[in-house]
């Protein structure tokens, strides 16, 4: 998916250059906003990939503890938070279901709703949108 988005972004940049060369600045401004959203999407995918690899590497720890380990909280809550916001990555819903079963609905709701001290990465919130308030 990242590669596909990368190709789209490169094509969009070429189109923007053509629009600017032909004096279509108004149209270019609108397209730049779309380009920025696509670049944020790719950055989000990169961040989610890092968190998922981190979680997979520590599955034995997750399995052995009833509560979310402090050093995994950011990764776990960020993946949970991303699930409903990155609807094109359906696997995140499965991961969210697993964490709901493991840590409970309150833990998952806090991450999705970005409650204070929920642990979600500030960077992820910037990429996917949402309130910055309450992120501890």
């Amino acid at each position: 998916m990242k590669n596909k988005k990368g190709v789209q972004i490169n094509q969009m940049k070429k189109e923007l250059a053509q629009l600017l060369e032909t004096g279509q600045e108004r149209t270019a401004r609108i397209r730049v906003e779309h380009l920025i959203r696509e670049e944020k999407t790719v950055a989000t995918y990169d961040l989610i990939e890092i968190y998922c690899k981190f979680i997979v590497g520590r599955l034995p720890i997750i399995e052995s503890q009833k509560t979310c380990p402090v050093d995994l909280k950011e990764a776990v809550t960020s993946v949970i938070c991303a699930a409903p916001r990155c609807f094109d990555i359906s696997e995140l819903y499965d991961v969210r279901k697993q964490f709901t079963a493991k840590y409970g609905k309150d833990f998952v709701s806090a991450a999705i709703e970005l409650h204070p001290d929920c642990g979600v990465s500030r960077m992820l919130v910037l990429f996917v949108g949402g309130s910055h308030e309450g992120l501890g």
Side-chain angles (χ1 to χ4, degrees), residues 48-100:
I48 291 168
E49 180 181 17
I50 291 166
Y51 286 137
C52 286
K53 287 180 179 179
F54 185 68
I55 291 167
V56 167
R58 285 154 182 83
L59 278 176
I61 296 168
I62 291 171
E63 290 173 350
S64 70
Q65 296 185 15
K66 287 188 176 199
T67 59
C68 184
V70 174
D71 62 329
L72 291 169
K73 187 174 181 181
E74 182 176 319
V76 170
T77 58
S78 295
V79 169
I80 291 168
C81 177
R85 292 165 174 86
C86 299
F87 54 88
D88 50 347
I89 307 175
S90 61
E91 295 85 355
L92 291 178
Y93 280 102
D94 295 332
V95 172
R96 187 177 89 183
K97 286 180 191 176
Q98 295 297 318
F99 284 131
T100 302

Side-chain angles (χ1 to χ4, degrees), residues 9-77:
I9 287 170
N10 287 335
Q11 182 61 35
M12 291 171 76
K13 287 179 180 179
K14 290 176 186 174
E15 291 172 6
L16 278 170
Q18 290 173 345
L19 288 170
L20 292 172
E21 286 174 1
T22 59
Q24 300 178 49
E25 289 181 24
R26 190 173 212 183
T27 303
R29 286 177 199 245
I30 294 167
R31 299 245 179 114
V32 163
E33 292 173 11
H34 183 66
L35 173 65
I36 291 169
R37 278 193 303 274
E38 292 300 315
E39 287 181 331
K40 283 184 175 183
T41 299
V42 170
T44 301
Y45 291 163
D46 287 338
L47 195 54
I48 291 168
E49 180 181 17
I50 291 166
Y51 286 137
C52 286
K53 287 180 179 179
F54 185 68
I55 291 167
V56 167
R58 285 154 182 83
L59 278 176
I61 296 168
I62 291 171
E63 290 173 350
S64 70
Q65 296 185 15
K66 287 188 176 199
T67 59
C68 184
V70 174
D71 62 329
L72 291 169
K73 187 174 181 181
E74 182 176 319
V76 170
T77 58

